């Protein structure tokens, strides 16, 4: 069932993005990235090899001009990211439903009974779809979904890591037996997350790295300290590092071909290291209160307009309600979402680059959209309980989703 809702969010998002797609090259990095992708070259630091290879495949599709093809790949990545938001919120709500059910049942039975109940399904899937649509109509993701840029793919990979980690968490907690064989059966999810994490480092490693504290909290509250002292952590690290080395081996290979776009000529280890670490951008870092204050004010302005009218921050209120609800129902979700925002701000508020600064706040905006999904559940529950004689829970859910999505769309 949740797959159906995720697919619906994907299709709605893709249609909206396609209708607003840029027909050709746009300002800033678009032209450079298109040239790098089409000719399998090297883009500006950190090189974004995963995006280059996927965009190159998109450029080969024989429909429209090259710029439009690669622009459309951004639309596909962003639409998939919105579908992943739906799946992530569903994971949180399924777990929260299990925690809230009567204690006389085991976790697996509690969650199964909750999902089979029509009203319980509504309280899971409707907020999940609502969060996906909120993300779809958010200003930043929508903007990058219609042009050639790396941030739509970056958002998709971040959310895919979240989903895999949360699915691993649910499988572990559903396992009645704590035997090593039963636990190891579900570790494929955490290993898959580690692999995707390594791939994501080959797109925009700063923003994906900032999610590590939040992921570590989920892992700790699921597997405890024994996970961090076991071979499972070592295997996960090796998988991530292996994926990272695999994707960045593209840089010397591409540079050796002397393509038209060959930023940094990354042939030696030193040149590769300088390129990956963004050596030339270090001048934009300023760890001072004089920088953090204005940057924080600007972030607040962005957050107020991200999901709708600045004078009607309904989504932000829902996000706060969702965080408060998760603090009561599922403390892991609360710390996970809060740490995403805090880690993102700790880095981004000290980075003074201006032209694509909103993209650096994407992890925070993703966390806000997920929190708003949890807040939608809270809102539907309260509205349905107070107006049950007038409205059915289904009507309350549809009204809440339409209203919040319309606010974001505006």
């Amino acid at each position: 069932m949740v797959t159906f809702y995720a697919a619906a969010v994907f299709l709605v998002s893709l249609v909206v993005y396609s209708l607003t797609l840029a027909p050709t090259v746009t300002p800033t990095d678009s032209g450079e990235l298109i040239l790098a992708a089409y000719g399998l070259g090297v883009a500006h630091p950190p090189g974004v090899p995963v995006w280059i290879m996927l965009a190159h495949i998109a450029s080969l599709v024989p429909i429209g001009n090259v710029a439009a093809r690669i622009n459309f790949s951004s639309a596909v990545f962003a639409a998939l990211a919105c579908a992943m938001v739906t799946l992530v919120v569903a994971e949180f709500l399924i777990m929260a439903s299990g925690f809230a059910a009567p204690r006389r049942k085991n976790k697996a039975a509690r969650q199964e009974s909750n999902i089979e109940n029509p009203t319980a399904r509504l309280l899971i899937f409707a907020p999940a779809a609502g969060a996906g649509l909120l993300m779809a109509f958010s200003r930043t993701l929508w903007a990058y979904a219609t042009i050639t840029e790396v941030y739509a793919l970056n958002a998709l990979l971040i959310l895919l890591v979240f989903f895999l980690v949360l699915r691993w968490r649910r499988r572990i907690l559903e396992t009645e037996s704590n035997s090593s064989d039963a636990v190891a059966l579900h570790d494929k999810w955490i290993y898959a997350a580690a692999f995707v994490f390594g791939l994501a480092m080959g797109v925009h490693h700063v923003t994906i790295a900032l999610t590590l504290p939040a992921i570590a909290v989920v892992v700790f509250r699921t597997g405890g300290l024994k996970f961090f002292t076991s071979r499972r952590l070592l295997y996960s690290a090796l998988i991530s590092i292996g994926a990272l080395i695999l994707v960045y081996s593209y840089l010397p290979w591409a540079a050796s071909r002397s393509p038209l776009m060959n930023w940094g000529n990354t042939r030696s280890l030193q040149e590769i290291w300088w390129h990956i670490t963004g050596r030339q951008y270090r001048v934009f870092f300023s760890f001072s209160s004089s920088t953090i204050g204005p940057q924080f004010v600007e972030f607040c302005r962005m957050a107020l307009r991200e999901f709708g009218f600045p004078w009607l921050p309904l989504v932000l209120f829902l996000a706060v309600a969702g965080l408060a609800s998760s603090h009561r129902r599922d403390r892991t979700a609360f710390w996970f979402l809060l740490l995403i925002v805090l880690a993102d701000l700790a880095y981004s508020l000290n980075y003074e680059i201006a032209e694509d600064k909103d993209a650096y706040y994407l992890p925070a905006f993703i966390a806000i959209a997920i929190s708003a999904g949890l807040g939608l559940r809270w809102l539907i529950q309260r509205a349905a309980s107070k107006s049950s004689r007038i409205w059915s829970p289904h009507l309350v859910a549809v009204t809440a989703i339409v209203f919040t999505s319309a606010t974001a769309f505006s």
Side-chain angles (χ1 to χ4, degrees):
M1 180 65 72
V2 67
T3 307
F4 169 80
Y5 284 91
V9 169
F10 168 77
L11 289 176
V12 171
S13 306
L14 188 61
V15 169
V16 171
Y17 297 154
S18 299
L19 293 174
T20 55
L21 195 71
T24 185
V25 181
T26 56
T28 63
D29 297 333
S30 175
E32 173 218 326
L33 291 172
I34 290 171
L35 182 59
Y38 186 66
L40 284 177
V42 179
H44 65 272
V48 295
V50 173
W51 182 88
I52 291 289
M53 289 183 278
L54 292 177
H56 176 74
I57 295 173
S59 73
L60 301 178
V61 178
I63 301 175
N65 59 62
V66 173
R69 299 170 195 172
I70 299 179
N71 289 345
F72 183 72
S73 71
S74 293
V76 174
F77 296 146
L80 287 172
C82 298
M84 292 308 305
V85 170
T86 301
L87 296 177
V88 167
V89 173
E91 287 294 320
F92 276 129
L93 293 179
I94 290 171
M95 288 303 303
S97 298
F99 292 147
R103 295 182 179 275
R104 66 177 179 270
K105 300 180 182 179
N106 62 55
K107 286 187 176 64
R110 292 201 306 257
Q111 288 159 5
E112 183 179 355
S113 64
N114 276 312
I115 295 173
E116 289 178 354
N117 185 304
T119 302
R121 285 204 306 266
L122 175 72
L123 290 174
I124 292 172
F125 301 132
L133 292 174
L134 286 176
M135 196 70 224
F137 300 139
S138 64
R139 291 177 184 265
T140 300
L141 186 63
W142 192 347
Y144 289 114
T146 59
I147 64 173
T148 292
E149 254 298 355
V150 305
Y151 301 116
L153 177 59
N154 180 53
L156 169 60
L157 293 178
I158 288 174
L159 283 158
L160 181 54
V161 172
F162 290 172
F163 169 73
L164 292 170
V165 170
L166 294 173
R167 176 58 61 90
W168 169 78
R169 173 193 180 222
R170 179 155 70 93
R171 294 301 188 208
I172 292 292
L173 296 182
E174 285 175 350
T175 303
E176 296 182 21
S177 171
N178 289 323
S179 67
S180 57
D181 291 339
V183 171
L185 179 65
H186 303 305
D187 280 346
K188 61 184 180 182
W189 295 101
I190 200 69
Y191 295 147
F195 180 75
V196 176
F197 188 93
L199 294 181
M201 292 285 284
V203 179
H204 198 256
H205 54 64
V206 169
T207 47
I208 184 65
L210 292 172
T211 65
L212 264 179
I215 293 172
V217 165
V218 175
V219 173
F220 172 73
R221 294 182 63 87
T222 304
L225 280 175
K226 63 182 180 180
F227 181 93
F228 294 93
T229 58
S230 68
R231 292 184 179 181
R232 298 154 75 194
L233 177 63
L234 175 62
Y235 295 154
S236 300
L238 290 176
I239 290 171
S240 280
I241 293 171
L244 176 65
I245 294 173
L246 178 65
V247 296
Y248 273 112
S249 64
Y250 166 86
L251 294 182
W253 173 82
S256 68
R257 297 172 56 251
S258 298
L260 289 177
M261 178 54 64
N262 188 20
W263 195 305
N265 193 29
T266 53
R267 302 191 187 201
S268 69
L269 287 177
Q270 184 181 60
E271 289 164 339
I272 294 171
W273 176 251
W274 284 350
H275 203 78
I276 294 175
T277 57
R279 179 171 176 259
Q280 68 193 66
Y281 299 133
R282 295 174 190 172
V283 295
F284 294 107
F285 284 98
S286 178
F287 297 93
S288 66
S289 57
S290 61
T291 298
I292 295 175
Q295 293 283 340
F296 181 71
V297 171
E298 184 60 26
F299 167 75
C300 292
R301 290 174 180 167
M302 289 183 184
L304 284 172
R305 67 173 178 80
E306 181 68 16
F307 298 98
F309 299 112
W311 47 269
L312 183 62
L314 174 62
V315 175
L316 297 184
F317 290 136
L318 281 176
V320 172
L323 280 175
S325 175
S326 64
H327 188 270
R328 295 191 303 269
R329 299 167 61 91
D330 183 1
R331 200 66 59 85
T332 300
F334 170 80
W335 287 113
F336 174 79
L337 295 169
L338 184 62
L339 282 174
I340 291 173
V341 176
L342 293 179
D344 189 26
L345 292 181
Y347 176 88
S348 301
L349 294 182
N350 293 287
Y351 192 42
E352 292 189 286
I353 194 168
E355 60 185 22
D356 56 356
K357 186 60 181 288
D358 53 350
Y360 284 79
Y361 294 127
L362 267 175
F365 295 150
I366 288 171
I368 291 172
I370 294 172
S371 300
L374 304 183
L376 268 175
R377 176 193 172 98
W378 170 83
L379 178 64
I380 293 169
Q381 284 181 314
R382 287 187 63 85
S385 64
K386 290 185 177 182
S387 58
S388 57
R389 296 181 181 180
I390 302 174
W391 286 2
S392 70
H394 293 76
L395 184 57
V396 173
V398 170
T399 303
I401 291 173
V402 170
F403 181 63
T404 52
S405 297
T407 302
F409 187 83
S410 62

